Amino acid sequence: MIQNRVLTMDDYGAMLRRRLKIILIPTLLAPLVGFLVSYAFPPKYMSQALILVQQQQVPQGYVAPVVTEDLSQRVATLEQKALGADRLRPLIQKLTQQGVLRPGNVDAQMDEIRGGVAIEPVEMVIVPSPEGKATNKQFQAPSSKPQVPGFNLDYTANNPREAQAICAGIADIMLQENLRDREEAAQNTTDFLSRQVDDAKGNLNDLDSK
């Protein structure tokens, strides 16, 4: 019959000595293997641009918004325009002349840029403060009725200078496209109102002549 006895510190020490190799070998080899494996993968550098959206300052009761499209759809549209060949090709040529990019296949470079871009919305929710007043808090987590004040534009590349230059270039393209669309929409609105005023003036002149 085997009797159970209380283990002492000597017993625990003996068990530790018997399993010392099993403990030490993985402990010492795991960091070394991880350090060596890290050399097999090229380093990645991510550049990020935060683009904030300024809401219309004039009350909508006086002036209707120029752009009525949802911000998420608007960002998706701007992303498609910025990553189009007609926008990326001049950017690649410019960065190649500056020495940021190496001369190569432009189509392959455009595909690489498209694969390295990521856009995430910055959502804002109203969080009550301890005093009972509502305060604005920005974070990237879904909410029931999120307000999107902007979005993060991320670009990842193997070179830090390349990541920064391409991220800044794409952000500039998106801003320019948004400004161009706003100006076009505002001009169309102005032209429409001008035609309405001319028509009303013509009707008044006809009535006055009669």
Side-chain angles (χ1 to χ4, degrees), residues 94-146:
K94 176 183 176 181
L95 296 180
T96 302
Q97 294 175 356
Q98 294 176 353
V100 178
L101 296 177
R102 296 180 179 179
N105 189 344
V106 177
D107 293 334
Q109 290 175 332
M110 287 191 295
D111 292 338
E112 183 178 355
I113 290 177
R114 295 187 184 104
V117 172
I119 294 180
E120 295 291 339
V122 177
E123 298 179 354
M124 180 178 63
V125 296
I126 305 302
V127 179
S129 62
E131 293 79 9
K133 298 180 180 180
T135 58
N136 293 337
K137 182 178 180 182
Q138 294 184 8
F139 62 97
Q140 295 181 3
S143 59
S144 57
K145 293 182 179 180

Side-chain angles (χ1 to χ4, degrees), residues 19 25 29-30 42 57 64 68 72 85 100-101 110 128 164 190 198 200:
R19 294 170 174 80
I25 292 176
L29 288 182
Q57 301 299 319
T68 58
S72 300
V100 178
L101 296 177
M110 287 191 295
Q164 184 179 14
T190 302
D198 293 339

Side-chain angles (χ1 to χ4, degrees), residues 18-195:
R18 289 195 298 268
R19 294 170 174 80
L20 187 60
K21 292 182 179 180
I22 301 177
I23 296 175
L24 289 179
I25 292 176
T27 304
L28 296 177
L29 288 182
L32 181 61
V33 172
F35 182 75
L36 294 176
V37 169
S38 64
Y39 279 95
F41 298 95
K44 295 292 184 180
Y45 301 91
M46 185 183 72
S47 180
Q48 183 179 85
L50 174 60
I51 301 177
L52 298 178
V53 178
Q54 185 177 8
Q55 301 297 330
Q56 178 173 299
Q57 301 299 319
V58 182
Q60 296 185 11
Y62 295 100
V63 178
V66 176
V67 179
T68 58
E69 188 179 7
D70 180 72
L71 181 59
S72 300
Q73 298 177 357
R74 182 65 182 159
V75 171
T77 302
L78 292 175
E79 181 183 4
Q80 292 178 356
K81 290 183 177 181
L83 298 181
D86 56 338
R87 296 293 183 269
L88 287 182
R89 195 178 300 274
L91 177 62
I92 292 175
Q93 293 176 353
K94 176 183 176 181
L95 296 180
T96 302
Q97 294 175 356
Q98 294 176 353
V100 178
L101 296 177
R102 296 180 179 179
N105 189 344
V106 177
D107 293 334
Q109 290 175 332
M110 287 191 295
D111 292 338
E112 183 178 355
I113 290 177
R114 295 187 184 104
V117 172
I119 294 180
E120 295 291 339
V122 177
E123 298 179 354
M124 180 178 63
V125 296
I126 305 302
V127 179
S129 62
E131 293 79 9
K133 298 180 180 180
T135 58
N136 293 337
K137 182 178 180 182
Q138 294 184 8
F139 62 97
Q140 295 181 3
S143 59
S144 57
K145 293 182 179 180
Q147 300 177 3
V148 183
F151 56 93
N152 288 322
L153 171 63
D154 301 335
Y155 183 74
T156 304
N158 297 331
N159 183 281
R161 185 185 177 192
E162 176 183 341
Q164 184 179 14
I166 294 179
C167 181
I170 295 177
D172 182 68
I173 293 174
M174 296 182 70
L175 292 176
Q176 294 299 327
E177 285 293 331
N178 182 64
L179 180 60
R180 185 180 295 106
D181 291 345
R182 281 179 172 271
E183 290 178 349
E184 183 179 353
Q187 185 62 43
N188 292 335
T189 302
T190 302
D191 294 341
F192 173 76
L193 293 178
S194 298
R195 290 193 299 269

